[in-house]
């Protein structure tokens, strides 16, 4: 064991402003973040010097129509790889958008139906440029499925419409099921978080379909909660034909979790 040592070779900072109740219970947010890193003997990086600016409009669910719309633009400099021999700075221009529109019905089980759309840019290989959106840091659970050992879908090189159904039969029990179509924004870039790529672009853009479900139950209210779920990624043409695509069929994932809160 030894102490961690601080370094200025990787820095992350930013600011955000939130305004509640702009109109009809809609809140707004503006934000900007800066990531600056550089190679060192103890840290291999892509020398990302990125600025991400964006905004969000949100109306939380609850017996009415709700909305969640967000967009961000990213620019700066980065390198294509972390290799020490890669010293070519590329100009970054990338973006992502998220839109979600839902309706909660004031009847038994409080069902909510929502439509989703996510798009995150991929790199098109233009000389001296880099177009793949970098999600920087943060969790993916709310948007793209369970993480842990499963996590092929992230906010990069992705076009994904979807539909979600939620239900809350009681204060102790809630559940949802969601269907997503998965496409590539750029046929030449690696798909989302999978690392699967066809540089020729001949494998098309359709990556497949993801179906996900989850059930949560308070075994002991406000103390012990069970969380269990499944995910199925049915592969499309791209995940079958790309040169480094796994030769296995569809991906199946299941998990069970008990969590205690204090």
């Amino acid at each position: 064991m030894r102490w961690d040592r601080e370094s200025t070779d990787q820095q992350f900072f930013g600011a955000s402003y939130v305004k509640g109740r702009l109109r009809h219970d809609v809140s707004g947010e503006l934000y900007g973040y800066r990531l600056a890193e550089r190679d060192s003997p103890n840290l291999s990086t892509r020398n990302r010097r990125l600025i991400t600016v964006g905004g969000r409009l949100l109306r939380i669910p609850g017996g009415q129509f709700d909305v969640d719309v967000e967009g961000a633009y990213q620019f700066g400099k980065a390198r294509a790889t972390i290799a020490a021999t890669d010293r070519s700075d590329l100009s970054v221009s990338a973006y992502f958008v998220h839109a979600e529109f839902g309706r909660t019905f004031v009847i038994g089980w409080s069902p909510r139906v929502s439509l989703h759309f996510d798009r995150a840019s991929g790199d098109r290989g233009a000389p001296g440029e880099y177009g793949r959106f970098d999600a920087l840091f943060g969790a993916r659970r709310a948007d793209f499925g369970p993480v842990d050992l499963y996590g092929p879908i992230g906010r990069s090189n992705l076009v994904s419409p979807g539909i979600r159904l939620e239900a809350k039969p009681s204060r102790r029990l809630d559940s949802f099921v969601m269907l997503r179509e998965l496409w590539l924004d750029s046929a030449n870039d690696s798909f989302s978080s999978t690392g699967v790529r066809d540089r020729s672009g001949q494998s098309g853009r359709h990556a497949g379909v993801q179906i996900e479900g989850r059930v949560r139950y308070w075994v002991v209210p406000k103390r012990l909660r069970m969380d269990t779920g499944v995910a199925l990624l049915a592969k499309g043409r791209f995940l079958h034909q790309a040169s480094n695509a796994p030769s296995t069929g569809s991906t199946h994932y299941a998990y069970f979790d008990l969590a205690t809160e204090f």
Side-chain angles (χ1 to χ4, degrees), residues 60-87:
I60 62 174
Q64 57 188 357
F65 288 102
D66 58 84
V67 62
D68 185 356
V69 178
E70 182 177 3
Y73 177 67
Q74 193 171 76
F75 59 97
K77 299 287 185 179
R79 294 174 184 173
T81 70
I82 64 172
T85 56
D86 185 355
R87 298 189 175 278

Side-chain angles (χ1 to χ4, degrees), residues 236-250:
R237 176 187 170 192
F238 176 83
L239 289 178
H240 281 297
Q241 296 185 2
S243 59
N244 65 332
S247 59
T248 56
S250 300

Side-chain angles (χ1 to χ4, degrees), residues 213-229:
R214 183 185 72 185
V215 176
R216 296 189 302 186
Y217 179 72
W218 284 103
V219 180
V220 180
K222 297 183 180 181
R223 288 292 181 268
L224 181 65
R225 184 165 68 179
M226 176 197 74
D227 184 344
T228 184

Side-chain angles (χ1 to χ4, degrees), residues 1 7 25 58 60 69 112 115 137 144 164 168 183 192 196 220:
M1 296 174 60
S7 168
D25 296 327
L58 174 67
I60 62 174
V69 178
R112 176 177 178 264
L115 300 177
F137 307 102
F144 302 118
R164 174 173 169 140
K168 190 174 182 179
W183 299 78
S192 204
V196 178
V220 180

Side-chain angles (χ1 to χ4, degrees), residues 162-174:
I163 184 169
R164 174 173 169 140
L165 174 63
E166 304 171 47
K168 190 174 182 179
S170 70
R171 292 184 178 181
R172 299 173 65 174
L173 178 65
D174 66 85

